[in-house]
Amino acid sequence: MKKLILISFLCGFFVNLCLGQDIIEAEYFFDTDPGVGNTGNTLPVTQAGVIDETFAISTTGLTDGLHVLHIRAKDTNGNWSLYERQYFFVNANSQYQNPPEYDIVEAEYFFDIDPGVGNTGNTLPVTQAGAIDETFAISTTGLTDGLHVLHIRAKDTDGNWSLYERQYFFVNANSQYQNPTEYNIVEAEYFFDTDPGVGNTGNILPVTQAGAIDETFAISTTGLTEGLHVLHIRAKDANGTWSLYERKYFFVNANSQYQNPTEYDIVEAEYFFDTDPGVGNTGNTLSLTQGSSIDETLVIPIDINMAEGDYVLHVRVKDENGTWSLYLVEEITVGALDTDNDGILDVDDNCVDTANTDQADTDSDTVGDVCDNCPDDANTDQADADADTVGDICDACPGFDDTVDNDSDGFPEGCDCDDTNAGINDDATDIPDNNIDEDCDGTDLKTWYQDADSDGYGNPNMSQTANSQPIGYVSDNTDCDDTESAAYPGNTEICDGIDNNCDGQIDEGVLSTFYADTDGDGYGNPNDSMQACSAPTGYVTDNTDCDDTQAAAYPGNTEICDGIDNDCDGQVDEGVLSTFYADADSDGYGNPNDSIQACSAPTGYVSDNTDCDDTQAAAYPGNTEICDGIDNNCDGQIDEGVLSTFYADTDGDGYGDVNVTTQACSAPTGYVSDNTDCDDTQAAAYPGNTEICDGIDNNCDGQVDEGVLSTFYADTDGDGYGDSSVTTQACTAPDGYVADNTDCDDTEAASNPGNAEVCDGIDNDCDGEIDEGVLSTFYADSDGDGYGDINMTTQACSAPSGYVDDSSDCDDTSASVYPGAQEIPNDGIDQDCNGSDLVIPDTDSDGILDNVDNCIDTPNPDQKDSDNDGIGDECDVMGIVVPKGFSPNGDGTNDTWMIENITAYPRNNIKVFNRWGNKVYESNNYQNNWNGESKEGGSGKLPVGPYLYIIELNEPGFSPVQGWMYINY
């Protein structure tokens, strides 16, 4: 097959112009720039601020060898961007296959200094894939304030580590950050294609020892075969650590005339935040070392007045040809300030300009003590009217110069009442009663004494000093009792319990005698007296009481019967006692043989003496005789004329036996007053009872169970329904009998009225018919494949041998023919019963049917597929990569069938067939947008499984591409 010289070059082009204008035009050229707008090669773009386009660019006419594709864009302001460039080879004879790509299996990170590959101890979780797009949460705990560099690198399944990606960031915007230690590069080596191991290449490159090197090396490619190769270069630092390698792909081609395009040195750099003020207008120039490429660490100063928040830093460079690059974009965060560097952010610092890590604030006014002009007095406003650095609230002399102090007592001359005496000032202690004003308040301090009783005389033990007389205080201090206004020196003594004249004695010469009257009868005890100004409570002036414990005993009182000498004549109850008789049974009648003398009837005694039995409360003269075994009326007889006759009630039904009697006051146990029972051995037999079916004469009418027997029917099969021809009379159903008589077959338990008819050969519901309406239809299955012949049926309760319930077999003579069977292509037999045989052509007649042929139009019986892309080598088209499957489940990954580079062939036609040869999808000019939904003869997602595809590019010299891919969800 003809090899292609034409390369369809796909460029994912991303341009963002500096001034934020829309892109409206793009152009390209190869190798040498003909000038802006002069290329003649315009590229169609959709106008937008940012574009992400795919272009098909022809390389027809280019010589074999290395070339450079350049693309640039123009915005609505008429400005052209710098070009994007891509190196590529044109080689008609190249058998080049893309180098293998390995999945990423591991990632790690470190800050600032590289501890060596695999030695960071900081592993990042990744999902194994050829490319990863992950979000990581990385802690910066423990990092010092200032600028740091985060490095991340990954390892593939072949064990190779990538170069690291790095990101600068600040821990604190005001940091005095020092760059981490850098080691000089001391050695370098190179190798081609395969790594022989660090230090084993045998290809040493001369370097000038330095922290960074910018060297030009001449490396011979002698001995390399024609085709694609990879050059690897790595370096070792003074610490003995080897870098990851830098690699460059290149072609060896003896016929190439390519010359590298001119490169210009970078001479200038500038930066800005967020909004572009225009090229060269930022005012923020960065110093750098001129070179064709630069590897610089740029220190970007952060304005201390920048507000906290997120910013976008832009950096761009200019070459010596005057051309500016696109800018580099980096997101940064400016944190809170710490002006005094005491570790406390300004927003939280109570003293922003003076370091005070302890944040001491004695007066709690939110101003730290180290910068508070009144640290002991709260003054949030820090007012200082006289500007003497002492706050007004604690200024000793507001409005005066606080520096003039002649007596050095801390009080300026303007605020000191005697600036010649250091002991006299506003803070001095005034000495009382010395006629000197030490505290400058205008008066001398005096001593005053409390006069709590307001008698004009002060308490010598309660005093205070003050410039003027306080309320309740006097200058005198001679009061002997400041709680009594009637006690003071020189007052007249009166009988009031107070030392009125302050002579140390109370009521001297003015007391009277009083006698105790404990019983309160107005007569006092001559043996109990006291001296007082007036009669104390419980005392009287009389002293003639004979018993001061009894209020009813005093001279002249009347004698009464109470056990007391009421009249104080020396005798108790003389001539006033009465006689009383014992009443032991408390019936109010006394025992004439038991009496006592007393003032009143003692407990258990009465004035009557006529009781005949003082042990029985129901026995006394005049009481009514009752049947209780006692002489109730005291007439000498017991229960005369009050006994009754009772009859035995052996069965306890309340009716007695007339032949068994007894006399008693009340019915003895087992006896009643009735004598009409017909059978005293049966509790259910008595006059008036209801007759029930129990074999007893319940109502005592001389007959047993009259009119209460029932008819029962034999139930031989135990289904609850009886045989009307077999009966018996009884009180209750005998064993094997029931009250129902409607059974149609008493030998079948499944046969009775009301039972549901089931398919069992029995008249289940007793309607005279068997299995009516419950038989099923079954179909002959002569070939035993589980599918029946619709033309051969039988009715039965269950499938007879050789019959099934399915009727969809299209050939009941072949077990390999049935709905859903695997169709064998081109055999003339409809195995799956869909009405026709599966016909799959062999277009290229190579013995491989088109549904499995990886090259339909070109014979290739060996099906060789060197790159394992599902397309045979004989018809493999460069640049087209068909994936083995996709998963349209809406998760954002592989949701459409993405055929790499298919859009480079706008005349393409794609067809997709299921495994039975039915077309389920077709598209012309396919745009990688199929989501697995069927567009042929139906709609909705296709089921999981393999599908045949045929891709026709419809370009001269290209054969259709065919293969299988898999849909999963």
Side-chain angles (χ1 to χ4, degrees):
M1 174 147 185
K2 176 183 176 182
K3 296 294 181 181
L4 297 178
I5 296 177
L6 172 66
I7 291 179
S8 178
F9 186 82
L10 303 181
C11 176
F13 183 61
F14 179 88
V15 177
N16 189 349
L17 293 178
C18 295
L19 297 180
Q21 304 293 324
D22 275 357
I23 296 171
I24 58 173
E25 185 178 336
E27 66 177 5
Y28 72 93
F29 62 91
F30 297 108
D31 303 330
T32 305
D33 191 348
V36 174
N38 299 326
T39 64
N41 300 319
T42 302
L43 293 171
V45 298
T46 302
Q47 181 171 336
V50 176
I51 62 172
D52 185 357
E53 304 275 0
T54 300
F55 304 117
I57 298 175
S58 172
T59 58
T60 302
L62 294 179
T63 60
D64 283 356
L66 185 67
H67 293 273
V68 189
L69 169 66
H70 303 74
I71 299 179
R72 59 190 165 209
K74 184 172 73 173
D75 65 19
T76 52
N77 207 29
N79 294 318
W80 284 91
S81 71
L82 296 178
Y83 49 71
E84 294 284 334
R85 66 183 177 184
Q86 179 73 45
Y87 289 87
F88 65 98
F89 260 83
V90 172
N91 189 333
N93 299 314
S94 173
Q95 301 299 316
Y96 171 70
Q97 301 295 326
N98 286 326
E101 292 189 355
Y102 299 98
D103 279 357
I104 296 171
V105 295
E106 185 179 336
E108 67 177 4
Y109 72 92
F110 62 90
F111 297 107
D112 304 329
I113 300 173
D114 191 348
V117 174
N119 299 327
T120 64
N122 301 319
T123 302
L124 295 170
V126 298
T127 303
Q128 182 172 335
I132 60 173
D133 184 1
E134 305 275 359
T135 299
F136 302 115
I138 298 177
S139 172
T140 59
T141 301
L143 294 179
T144 58
D145 284 356
L147 182 69
H148 293 273
V149 188
L150 169 66
H151 305 75
I152 299 179
R153 58 188 164 212
K155 184 172 74 173
D156 65 21
T157 50
D158 199 35
N160 294 316
W161 283 92
S162 71
L163 297 176
Y164 51 71
E165 293 287 336
R166 66 182 177 183
Q167 179 73 45
Y168 288 88
F169 65 96
F170 268 83
V171 170
N172 188 307
N174 294 309
S175 169
Q176 303 300 314
Y177 169 73
Q178 300 296 322
N179 287 323
T181 304
E182 293 187 354
Y183 296 97
N184 281 344
I185 297 172
V186 297
E187 186 178 335
E189 66 179 4
Y190 72 93
F191 62 90
F192 296 109
D193 302 329
T194 304
D195 191 348
V198 175
N200 299 326
T201 64
N203 300 318
I204 305 300
L205 294 171
V207 298
T208 303
Q209 183 170 333
I213 61 173
D214 184 1
E215 304 276 359
T216 300
F217 301 117
I219 297 176
S220 172
T221 60
T222 301
L224 295 178
T225 59
E226 288 195 11
L228 183 69
H229 293 274
V230 187
L231 169 66
H232 303 76
I233 299 179
R234 59 187 164 215
K236 184 173 74 174
D237 65 19
N239 199 35
T241 302
W242 281 93
S243 71
L244 298 176
Y245 51 71
E246 294 283 342
R247 66 181 177 185
K248 174 69 75 173
Y249 288 88
F250 66 96
F251 263 81
V252 172
N253 190 328
N255 298 316
S256 174
Q257 302 300 313
Y258 172 74
Q259 299 296 321
N260 286 326
T262 303
E263 292 188 353
Y264 298 100
D265 280 356
I266 297 171
V267 297
E268 186 178 335
E270 67 178 3
Y271 71 93
F272 62 90
F273 294 103
D274 298 334
T275 305
D276 191 347
V279 174
N281 298 327
T282 65
N284 300 319
T285 303
L286 295 169
S287 60
L288 52 80
T289 303
Q290 181 171 335
S292 58
S293 64
I294 59 172
D295 184 2
E296 301 273 356
T297 298
L298 304 174
V299 178
I300 308 291
I302 303 297
D303 189 342
I304 196 171
N305 294 316
M306 284 182 75
E308 294 180 39
D310 295 328
Y311 294 86
V312 181
L313 171 66
H314 304 72
V315 179
R316 58 188 165 212
V317 298
K318 184 173 73 173
D319 65 20
E320 59 188 344
N321 199 35
T323 302
W324 283 93
S325 71
L326 298 175
Y327 49 70
L328 168 70
V329 177
E330 197 74 43
E331 293 184 359
I332 67 168
T333 299
V334 174
L337 300 179
D338 179 16
T339 303
D340 54 12
N341 293 312
D342 59 0
I344 300 170
L345 300 179
D346 290 357
V347 68
D348 300 318
D349 201 340
N350 64 14
C351 199
V352 173
D353 297 311
T354 305
N356 61 331
T357 56
D358 61 1
Q359 295 287 285
D361 182 12
T362 303
D363 55 12
S364 300
D365 61 357
T366 72
V367 182
D369 292 350
V370 299
C371 56
D372 195 340
N373 62 17
C374 259
D376 296 316
D377 299 286
N379 63 331
T380 304
D381 61 4
Q382 297 287 289
D384 181 15
D386 56 10
D388 59 359
T389 72
V390 181
D392 293 346
I393 194 171
C394 61
D395 198 337
C397 193
F400 291 91
D401 187 352
D402 293 356
T403 61
V404 179
D405 183 11
N406 296 313
D407 54 9
S408 301
D409 59 0
F411 286 83
E413 181 181 36
C415 293
D416 197 340
C417 62
D418 185 352
D419 203 35
T420 63
N421 188 338
I424 299 176
N425 55 62
D426 284 359
D427 282 350
T429 301
D430 203 351
I431 300 171
D433 308 318
N434 67 350
N435 293 320
I436 299 174
D437 180 19
E438 285 90 355
D439 60 1
C440 292
D441 64 357
T443 59
D444 181 30
L445 192 65
K446 294 184 180 298
T447 303
W448 303 90
Y449 301 91
Q450 187 178 47
D451 181 16
D453 55 9
S454 302
D455 58 3
Y457 294 83
N459 184 348
N461 299 316
M462 296 291 291
S463 65
Q464 65 169 275
T465 57
N467 289 332
S468 59
Q469 182 177 1
I471 295 173
Y473 283 78
V474 295
S475 59
D476 178 85
N477 65 351
T478 62
D479 203 341
C480 60
D481 184 353
D482 200 35
T483 65
E484 287 289 349
S485 60
Y488 53 86
N491 193 16
T492 302
E493 190 73 23
I494 60 176
C495 198
D496 59 0
I498 300 171
D499 181 10
N500 304 96
N501 55 13
C502 285
D503 64 355
Q505 302 178 67
I506 297 175
D507 298 335
E508 65 274 15
V510 293
L511 294 171
S512 300
T513 301
F514 298 92
Y515 301 89
D517 181 16
T518 304
D519 56 8
D521 58 3
Y523 294 82
N525 185 348
N527 300 315
D528 186 357
S529 65
M530 70 179 297
Q531 293 279 309
C533 291
S534 60
T537 300
Y539 283 79
V540 294
T541 56
D542 180 87
N543 64 354
T544 62
D545 203 341
C546 61
D547 185 352
D548 201 33
T549 64
Q550 290 288 344
Y554 53 86
N557 193 16
T558 300
E559 190 72 23
I560 61 174
C561 196
D562 60 1
I564 299 172
D565 180 11
N566 305 96
D567 53 8
C568 283
D569 65 354
Q571 301 180 69
V572 176
D573 296 335
E574 65 273 16
V576 293
L577 293 171
S578 300
T579 301
F580 297 94
Y581 302 90
D583 181 14
D585 56 7
S586 301
D587 58 3
Y589 293 82
N591 185 346
N593 300 315
D594 187 358
S595 65
I596 190 173
Q597 289 281 308
C599 290
S600 60
T603 300
Y605 285 80
V606 294
S607 59
D608 180 87
N609 64 352
T610 62
D611 203 342
C612 62
D613 185 351
D614 201 33
T615 64
Q616 288 288 344
Y620 54 87
N623 192 17
T624 301
E625 191 70 25
I626 61 175
C627 198
D628 59 1
I630 300 171
D631 180 10
N632 304 96
N633 55 12
C634 283
D635 64 355
Q637 301 180 67
I638 297 174
D639 297 335
E640 64 274 16
V642 292
L643 292 171
S644 299
T645 301
F646 296 94
Y647 302 89
D649 181 17
T650 305
D651 56 9
D653 58 4
Y655 293 82
D657 185 348
V658 70
N659 300 312
V660 183
T661 65
T662 187
Q663 290 280 309
C665 290
S666 59
T669 301
Y671 284 79
V672 294
S673 60
D674 180 87
N675 64 356
T676 62
D677 203 343
C678 61
D679 184 353
D680 201 34
T681 64
Q682 288 287 345
Y686 55 87
N689 192 18
T690 301
E691 190 72 24
I692 61 175
C693 200
D694 59 0
I696 299 171
D697 180 11
N698 304 97
N699 55 13
C700 285
D701 65 354
Q703 302 178 67
V704 177
D705 297 336
E706 66 275 14
V708 292
L709 292 171
S710 300
T711 302
F712 296 95
Y713 303 88
D715 181 18
T716 305
D717 57 8
D719 60 1
Y721 293 82
D723 184 347
S724 61
S725 64
V726 182
T727 66
T728 187
Q729 292 279 310
C731 289
T732 59
D735 189 29
Y737 282 80
V738 294
D740 179 87
N741 65 352
T742 61
D743 204 344
C744 60
D745 184 353
D746 201 33
T747 64
E748 281 288 349
S751 178
N752 55 69
N755 196 16
E757 190 71 25
V758 296
C759 201
D760 58 0
I762 299 171
D763 180 11
N764 304 96
D765 55 7
C766 286
D767 64 354
E769 299 180 76
I770 297 174
D771 297 336
E772 68 277 10
V774 292
L775 292 171
S776 299
T777 301
F778 296 94
Y779 304 89
D781 180 19
S782 301
D783 56 8
D785 58 5
Y787 295 83
D789 184 346
I790 194 171
N791 298 314
M792 295 185 65
T793 65
T794 187
Q795 293 278 308
C797 289
S798 59
S801 177
Y803 283 80
V804 295
D805 58 4
D806 179 86
S807 63
S808 60
D809 203 343
C810 59
D811 183 355
D812 200 34
T813 64
S814 175
S816 63
V817 176
Y818 54 87
Q822 179 67 46
E823 187 74 29
I824 300 173
N826 309 324
D827 66 349
I829 300 173
D830 179 18
Q831 279 93 356
D832 60 2
C833 290
N834 69 350
S836 62
D837 180 31
L838 174 62
V839 177
I840 299 177
D842 178 13
T843 303
D844 54 9
S845 301
D846 60 358
I848 310 296
L849 295 181
D850 289 355
N851 66 322
V852 294
D853 196 344
N854 63 14
C855 200
I856 294 175
D857 294 317
T858 303
N860 62 332
D862 60 1
Q863 296 288 287
K864 185 177 181 181
D865 180 12
S866 300
D867 55 8
N868 295 312
D869 64 354
I871 304 172
D873 291 352
E874 290 298 322
C875 58
D876 202 344
V877 180
M878 291 179 61
I880 302 300
V881 180
V882 182
K884 296 294 187 181
F886 66 111
S887 55
N889 57 11
D891 64 355
T893 302
N894 295 325
D895 281 340
T896 60
W897 192 31
M898 299 294 295
I899 302 174
E900 187 175 339
N901 302 334
I902 189 63
T903 54
Y905 302 92
R907 290 184 291 177
N908 70 69
N909 173 265
I910 293 178
K911 298 183 183 70
V912 180
F913 301 85
N914 63 21
R915 53 187 149 181
W916 297 288
N918 299 318
K919 185 170 64 175
V920 295
Y921 179 76
E922 182 175 8
S923 174
N924 292 311
N925 190 18
Y926 179 60
Q927 296 296 310
N928 286 328
N929 56 354
W930 184 40
N931 64 357
E933 289 189 1
S934 175
K935 303 299 184 183
E936 301 288 334
S939 61
K941 296 284 189 181
L942 290 172
V944 172
Y947 291 85
L948 173 70
Y949 62 81
I950 299 175
I951 302 174
E952 296 181 274
L953 301 180
N954 294 315
E955 296 286 349
F958 293 112
S959 298
V961 177
Q962 171 182 302
W964 289 86
M965 60 86 179
Y966 197 86
I967 294 179
N968 199 3
Y969 294 99

